[in-house]
Amino acid sequence: MAEPTKICPYSLPDLKNTSDDAVAAYLKTKSFAQSHTLTDVRLSISTAACLIAGATFYLDYTQGFEKTKTFTLYACIAYFTLNTALTIWLYFFESSTIYVGKHKTAPVSLTISSKVTKHDPTYRLKILQTQVVDGKNIVRNRDVEGPFMDWIDDKGFFVKKPFESWLGASVPWILENEDVPKELDSSVVTASGRKVQEEMTGVEVGSGKGSVRRKGKKV
Amino acid sequence: MLAALSAYQPRQLLAQVLNFGLILSTAFMMWKSLSLVTNSPSPIVVVLSGSMEPAFQRGDLLFLWNRGADTQVGEIVVFNIQGKSIPIVHRVLRKHVSRPSAKQSKSRAYPPLKLLTKGDNNAQDDVVLYTPGQHYIDREKEVIGSVKAYVPFVGYVTILLSEHPMVKTVVLGIMGLFVILQRE
């Protein structure tokens, strides 16, 4: 969040949420358009569930138990089905993803998930960068981490500059001056048209010095 | 606090509100499911008076079951007298079996029952509690279930909440605020 909202610098959820929000805000300035599909699916499932419960409550309140029995039965089935769907969605699809977005001009998209470990004030991002080169999808996975204290001061205010330079340095493409990496030409990784998740295995892991490189198999 | 709210993106705000809604609605829908399973509009009730002592004390939590309408003398039933809002928990003292009409005998396993009830701790039977002119209660229309299990004392919280309405308002308000203001 760019606004000077004060948080408690000792609370990990606060630190994580503030930083998660800052990722989206920063990428917006770097002409990435955020895709809200994941969030929207979650919100629509929850809204539907709440509406069903609300309708049940209203009918039950105005007409009583006996008259609304059949409706209540179907409503209960629908409600708990939606609840299960929501749990599955949260667990398997949305999980820790905090950002999905596409560059407005360049054929690059980012999927970012964040993680903190209990009692460890380190912000960990997993950045999946999908690039289209010669009509083929190339996925690059970066795991970066940084201490929260680099961009949240001791009073609990978020400081924009160090955060943005940290994130920018982690993902050179964001700074809009990175060439397509040589080791990621089409002979190394993947064919086009497949999902990011499927291509994660066998893709280059990490970046920069000392990173582990695995040669992906051609799919 | 309001500053914290206004800093949310619309989606985040909606998500917070929905989280709160889901907590409430899950509780409500579980209650309704229990109602359907037990066939009782109010499957869990709290004893509000001492009229069934020593069997039940004020604040005991009762679990009701309302399937199989062949109530026996000696069973403890919970019933709603028409026109009175508070359910009563009393023991069945006498039962009258009416002759079912042709239609009833086709559609139901049990003949219609009329019950006379009395609180164990009361000197008289319940005719004085019924609507004037009523001498028994209708098993099907007025009884919401018979007691199958109970947990002593834990229902006392609801007595507190209903006898001091302010407590309820304050507790609900605080819970709501917490859910909306906290993200994790």
Side-chain angles (χ1 to χ4, degrees):
Chain A
M1 248 172 282
E3 299 86 56
T5 313
K6 197 173 177 237
I7 57 159
C8 169
Y10 304 101
S11 153
L12 272 184
D14 281 10
L15 292 169
K16 180 181 176 294
N17 288 330
T18 309
S19 306
D20 287 352
D21 292 344
V23 169
Y26 172 59
L27 289 174
K28 199 176 177 186
T29 66
K30 290 291 168 190
S31 60
F32 273 87
Q34 188 171 1
S35 149
H36 291 288
T37 319
L38 285 176
T39 319
D40 287 346
V41 170
R42 167 165 53 92
L43 291 180
S44 13
I45 296 176
S46 336
T47 310
C50 282
L51 287 180
I52 289 174
T56 313
F57 180 79
Y58 176 76
L59 286 178
D60 185 62
Y61 191 76
T62 50
Q63 295 185 29
F65 177 69
E66 287 297 326
K67 276 187 190 165
T68 55
K69 240 184 212 171
T70 324
F71 176 84
T72 310
L73 176 65
Y74 289 122
C76 281
I77 293 170
Y79 183 84
F80 287 108
T81 311
L82 280 176
N83 241 347
T84 316
L86 184 64
T87 312
I88 291 171
W89 180 260
L90 282 176
Y91 193 79
F92 291 104
F93 295 91
E94 199 171 344
S95 62
S96 56
T97 306
I98 55 152
Y99 184 88
V100 179
K102 229 177 144 73
H103 198 276
K104 277 174 187 154
T105 51
V108 174
S109 57
L110 292 175
T111 304
I112 303 178
S113 47
S114 73
K115 212 174 95 181
V116 287
T117 326
K118 249 188 181 174
H119 311 307
D120 175 19
T122 310
Y123 192 46
R124 293 189 173 82
L125 286 182
K126 183 184 189 63
I127 305 170
L128 285 178
Q129 172 190 323
T130 311
Q131 242 167 304
V132 180
V133 178
D134 303 332
K136 298 187 172 178
N137 271 352
I138 287 171
V139 183
R140 190 173 165 139
N141 174 31
R142 289 187 178 85
D143 289 300
V144 296
E145 56 177 63
F148 284 113
M149 289 307 126
D150 280 1
W151 56 81
I152 287 170
D153 68 13
D154 55 352
K155 296 215 173 54
F157 287 108
F158 176 75
V159 190
K160 215 169 164 184
K161 223 165 182 181
F163 179 78
E164 296 189 344
S165 53
W166 169 75
L167 188 57
S170 315
V171 189
W173 222 98
I174 298 176
L175 294 176
E176 297 175 65
N177 56 10
E178 189 197 39
D179 291 327
V180 175
K182 271 186 195 136
E183 69 271 25
L184 280 177
D185 61 17
S186 47
S187 67
V188 181
V189 200
T190 66
S192 61
R194 300 197 59 196
K195 290 268 165 63
V196 172
Q197 256 71 12
E198 294 165 18
E199 298 193 308
M200 270 171 60
T201 46
V203 167
E204 184 205 22
V205 175
S207 66
K209 259 187 196 171
S211 65
V212 188
R213 298 225 167 107
R214 271 181 272 142
K215 206 168 182 198
K217 54 177 179 219
K218 228 171 182 177
V219 196
Chain B
M1 279 206 291
L2 280 177
L5 269 186
S6 64
Y8 284 145
Q9 308 285 322
R11 278 192 178 79
Q12 287 175 354
L13 189 60
L14 184 60
Q16 294 302 96
V17 173
L18 285 174
N19 275 348
F20 186 47
L22 281 178
I23 292 172
L24 288 184
S25 61
T26 304
F28 175 69
M29 293 309 268
M30 282 170 78
W31 171 255
K32 278 291 124 191
S33 305
L34 190 61
S35 273
L36 288 172
V37 171
T38 59
N39 192 30
S40 168
S42 176
I44 299 174
V45 294
V46 172
V47 179
L48 294 176
S49 78
S51 64
M52 277 301 281
E53 280 177 19
F56 300 132
Q57 313 279 330
R58 231 163 100 81
D60 289 359
L61 202 65
L62 307 180
F63 295 88
L64 308 185
W65 184 255
N66 196 26
R67 289 191 183 279
D70 191 19
T71 310
Q72 303 295 331
V73 170
E75 257 186 66
I76 300 166
V77 293
V78 179
F79 55 93
N80 272 318
I81 298 297
Q82 280 170 355
K84 286 186 186 172
S85 58
I86 298 166
I88 301 169
V89 190
H90 281 172
R91 197 181 294 275
V92 177
L93 201 66
R94 211 173 291 161
K95 109 176 172 182
H96 304 278
V97 186
S98 321
R99 187 185 303 155
S101 67
K103 200 179 156 198
Q104 281 174 332
S105 59
K106 253 187 220 166
S107 62
R108 297 183 351 188
Y110 299 98
L113 294 181
K114 311 281 188 195
L115 309 172
L116 176 68
T117 55
K118 175 181 172 297
D120 288 0
N121 200 25
N122 289 356
Q124 305 176 292
D125 62 33
D126 288 346
V127 174
V128 283
L129 294 176
Y130 302 159
T131 335
Q134 186 183 3
H135 296 286
Y136 41 74
I137 52 171
D138 188 293
R139 169 67 184 87
E140 202 176 28
K141 280 185 195 139
E142 285 166 314
V143 174
I144 62 170
S146 44
V147 179
K148 287 292 164 195
Y150 83 107
V151 184
F153 200 68
V154 292
Y156 218 91
V157 186
T158 62
I159 293 186
L160 273 185
L161 288 179
S162 60
E163 286 179 3
H164 308 275
M166 273 305 285
V167 179
K168 198 189 207 161
T169 319
V170 170
V171 168
L172 261 184
I174 291 175
M175 272 165 52
L177 265 185
F178 268 114
V179 174
I180 288 181
L181 292 175
Q182 261 175 342
R183 269 176 75 174
E184 219 67 23

